[in-house]
Amino acid sequence: MALSTQPYKGARDFYPEYKRLQKYLFSVMRSVVERYGYEEYDAPILEPLELYLAKTGEEIVNEQTYQFVDRGGRNVVIRPEMTPTVSRMVAAKRQELAYPLRWYSIPNLWRYERPQHGRLREHWQLNVDIFGIENTSADIEIIQVADALLRAYGATHEMYTIKLNDRRLMKYILAEYLNLTDVQQQLTGKLIDRMNKMEPAEFAADIDAVFAPSQRESGTDEKLFELLKVKSLNDLPEEIKSKDEFKLLDTVIKQLNDEQIVNAEFEISLMRGFDYYSGIVFEIFDNDPSNSRSMFGGGRYDGLVGLFGVEPVATVGFGMGDVGLQEFLKVHDLLPSLKSETDAYVVLIGDVYEAAQKAIKDFREMGLNLAVDMSGGKADKQIKSAVKKGILYAIFIGDNEIADEQFTIKNLQTGEEEKHSAQRIVSIIKDYRNE
Amino acid sequence: MALSTQPYKGARDFYPEYKRLQKYLFSVMRSVVERYGYEEYDAPILEPLELYLAKTGEEIVNEQTYQFVDRGGRNVVIRPEMTPTVSRMVAAKRQELAYPLRWYSIPNLWRYERPQHGRLREHWQLNVDIFGIENTSADIEIIQVADALLRAYGATHEMYTIKLNDRRLMKYILAEYLNLTDVQQQLTGKLIDRMNKMEPAEFAADIDAVFAPSQRESGTDEKLFELLKVKSLNDLPEEIKSKDEFKLLDTVIKQLNDEQIVNAEFEISLMRGFDYYSGIVFEIFDNDPSNSRSMFGGGRYDGLVGLFGVEPVATVGFGMGDVGLQEFLKVHDLLPSLKSETDAYVVLIGDVYEAAQKAIKDFREMGLNLAVDMSGGKADKQIKSAVKKGILYAIFIGDNEIADEQFTIKNLQTGEEEKHSAQRIVSIIKDYRNE
């Protein structure tokens, strides 16, 4: 029986055309985050299971990770996210590193889940983190970077909304304003996280099941439902607005708005799944009605590095997946048409492979990326091959061309042919490349 | 108990300084192979186990792979090499793809083996393959690319030797010239592959154990031992030299030598481990006595794509690992000192974070990569941080600087300080970056 040619379920083969798109996405990521002084790091895709048991949400570890026992008896996981890894790396060199530390990475991550629209088993995720800054300048910078990224792909502020909340504010609201027990806070938080995916009646029933009869009698549930209707920080009750937890978030949103990030706003239902968030959290939503969902997000997680037995380090970061990003760019018609890295296709006329080597070498030394067709096929078949590969120019080399040192260059889109010196050809092609 | 901060055994954490080196290695790879018209592809790191059972050497699959059963009951492997994957991808689009097809990838690969000098459990490997060319121009081009790569890192031909052999020539020698049975050919081939790692007496004894008494009586073993002493194709017996299998290899080596690749030579003991090679094979050896070993290699494997139930495709390729490459560059003092991607470190004087935003934004828009220190620490502590990060310039911004629109730039290596307009500072830094 012949072997299957399919890639592993829920993962993608990157044929060159698709890989070119990925490279474009990554190169924009790199140039934007490096503009803000972030340095790239990386780590092995395998990590010990313990790393995820500590602080990641339980669902991910128990149901969605690729875990196995290696030949040495170690419980290992193919990383489902990068945050535990980067925390481990910072902890390992806690004392040596210079803060603020700005790091980024574009790892591939694996989750065992049912492949669906916008969710795959393998995806790549830009991770951007700043370590060592406790004040809100770090939160603001991270959101600025996320915003600058989308704009670098050509997006405008009308296309997306940056929704913010603060875990500390929610903690205050649940624990003090509503006076819930620890367990109730936990359950209520998870329900609020899922609120927008539930029917209102279902949500209300689930909340009421969490609350004690006395709480329902005293109207705690109604108090919560009222709060959850609030669309702006201004509309929160004065009792909440007098708290530091409120002022912090209010300042961050105002400052973002002041710095032309007009699409940053408060969203009380925003919790984010992972347990490790400890402060401001944010998510960026696509405004297009056909794709109106959270694209990516992040927040402050000051506790993770400390789990490794070193002094904790204040941390803010976000992770942006390539699948959701592509979806966003597609919906908003922002995917560029990308040129082939190959500048020209050399079509050999007759049996001149060896004789053409010098000319080919010269072209390459002048900076051209050249693919040579040595199939011995007919010229029109060779040209078809070039067109299929998305290469714009063909350069013909035969005995006459080698003798005259004049080569025919053909634009395969327009069909236009011209005969020129090698230097002239190189300059025509470089002009096109730099267009 | 605190979590361990160590990376998985035999794999590497890439802190930014080390990642920078990897990025340099990869960018040279990309620019060289793209100069020859190769296009980048990629694929998932997980593949079905069957893919490797088909043609990879057995030792690797049974003892050295990371295999496990996924949650859906599939037997999967973290890829130990890229060749089966790329063959799968070509087979999947056998009819649609335009030949010759030139593809490359820089995947990470995993092998469960004892970590040792130059061998790690995770490594990255440049894979370069050309599909669809049966004649030797493909073998020659692939070796040219391998050679161009090493030279692009600054290596000279004195530093390494390209050793070649041909599986077809060895097949002829073992099957016809020595008249061995199929099993004897197989065993003898494996012994020759290991010859240079064995004592001569041990090798001779092992060979004699493979041969039948009648073969030993008729001197077949001596005939083989004589052959294995041959250092040049010219010195092979005339009977062998009259064969097409000889002429093919002879032509390839001569043509490489003619094209200034003077360090290409015949090596009769070169077999290469994988079963799938079907023609010319080559390996590149470091000439430095302290590191005299095979760095990387490749060859022709015309049969792999056909295993997927499609018409076979002639293929030649090689894989170059990052660990061996780094070792080579280190031994020959070819590792460059790399500049930080961050052009300058902004030191804020006083509480000017918000007031400085405009100047910082302007610098970034003029093309500078800037890290801003908002730690609120003393200026000399901030500068220490910049030096630790390997950033050359500091730009000081305080109230006066913002009012005057003149900023102090400090070269942290020389200690030199100057006050300039933003434009002038940008041009000083860009001059340094392009040095």
Side-chain angles (χ1 to χ4, degrees), chain A residues 20-246:
Chain A
R20 196 173 294 138
L21 172 62
Q22 192 195 47
K23 287 167 86 165
Y24 160 75
L25 299 177
F26 289 1
S27 85
V28 172
M29 291 174 188
R30 289 193 168 98
S31 75
V32 170
V33 302
E34 288 178 2
R35 191 55 55 91
Y36 285 78
Y38 287 75
E39 300 180 281
E40 192 166 358
Y41 68 93
D42 203 351
I45 52 158
L46 290 186
E47 289 280 6
L49 178 61
E50 302 87 76
L51 190 61
Y52 303 97
L53 295 177
K55 264 286 183 180
T56 302
E58 277 182 20
E59 181 196 19
I60 283 183
V61 178
N62 293 332
E63 294 163 27
Q64 297 191 348
T65 53
Y66 282 83
Q67 352 176 336
F68 62 99
V69 180
D70 79 5
R71 292 174 192 266
R74 296 172 200 84
N75 285 299
V76 290
V77 171
I78 305 181
R79 61 182 175 210
E81 54 155 341
M82 200 63 173
T83 304
T85 297
V86 71
S87 304
R88 176 179 67 67
M89 285 176 66
V90 171
K93 303 209 174 185
R94 174 73 179 85
Q95 295 303 323
E96 298 156 56
L97 296 167
Y99 303 92
L101 192 67
R102 288 178 172 86
W103 278 7
Y104 80 93
S105 190
I106 315 177
N108 52 340
L109 308 174
W110 283 78
R111 293 191 188 178
Y112 192 85
E113 55 185 347
R114 197 167 53 83
Q116 54 185 298
H117 187 74
R119 302 283 282 180
L120 290 168
R121 288 185 176 173
E122 180 181 49
H123 76 290
W124 274 256
Q125 190 187 59
L126 170 67
N127 278 255
V128 182
D129 293 284
I130 180 164
F131 295 88
I133 300 292
E134 282 168 29
N135 64 53
T136 54
S137 64
D139 307 77
I140 289 165
E141 178 175 297
I142 280 291
I143 294 169
Q144 281 176 327
V145 170
D147 179 68
L149 248 172
L150 290 177
R151 287 187 294 117
Y153 291 112
T156 60
H157 282 146
E158 293 73 41
M159 297 181 186
Y160 58 95
T161 304
I162 304 173
K163 297 186 178 176
L164 288 94
N165 201 353
D166 192 315
R167 282 281 179 99
R168 292 161 296 198
L169 176 65
M170 293 309 285
K171 173 79 187 168
Y172 161 76
I173 287 175
L174 297 176
E176 298 184 41
Y177 181 74
L178 297 177
N179 201 23
L180 304 183
T181 66
D182 283 354
V183 172
Q184 287 176 330
Q185 291 169 41
Q186 176 95 13
L187 294 172
T188 306
K190 299 257 175 220
L191 284 170
I192 293 173
D193 190 33
R194 290 172 43 217
M195 183 174 83
N196 292 322
K197 294 175 186 156
M198 295 168 83
E199 291 299 316
E202 187 194 358
F203 175 74
D206 283 3
I207 285 287
D208 278 350
V210 169
F211 288 5
S214 61
Q215 287 169 315
R216 288 198 298 272
E217 271 157 39
S218 65
T220 305
D221 49 353
E222 284 307 320
K223 216 170 156 189
L224 173 63
F225 299 145
E226 280 309 304
L227 266 191
L228 292 175
K229 287 182 195 151
V230 164
K231 291 288 164 212
S232 147
L233 279 175
N234 261 334
D235 298 335
L236 285 173
E238 292 304 323
E239 188 184 340
I240 298 178
K241 285 164 80 171
S242 69
K243 298 293 163 186
D244 284 348
E245 289 87 345
F246 169 89

Side-chain angles (χ1 to χ4, degrees), chain A residues 332-375:
Chain A
H332 294 279
D333 204 18
L334 294 172
L335 287 173
S337 81
L338 299 165
K339 290 172 186 168
S340 169
E341 293 80 13
T342 308
D343 296 311
Y345 199 70
V346 172
V347 176
L348 298 175
I349 307 166
D351 189 16
V352 296
Y353 177 71
E354 280 185 60
Q357 288 297 313
K358 192 189 162 298
I360 292 166
K361 197 176 168 199
D362 288 348
F363 277 119
R364 287 193 175 126
E365 279 173 3
M366 286 187 276
L368 290 199
N369 290 348
L370 289 191
V372 180
D373 194 322
M374 62 272 224
S375 64

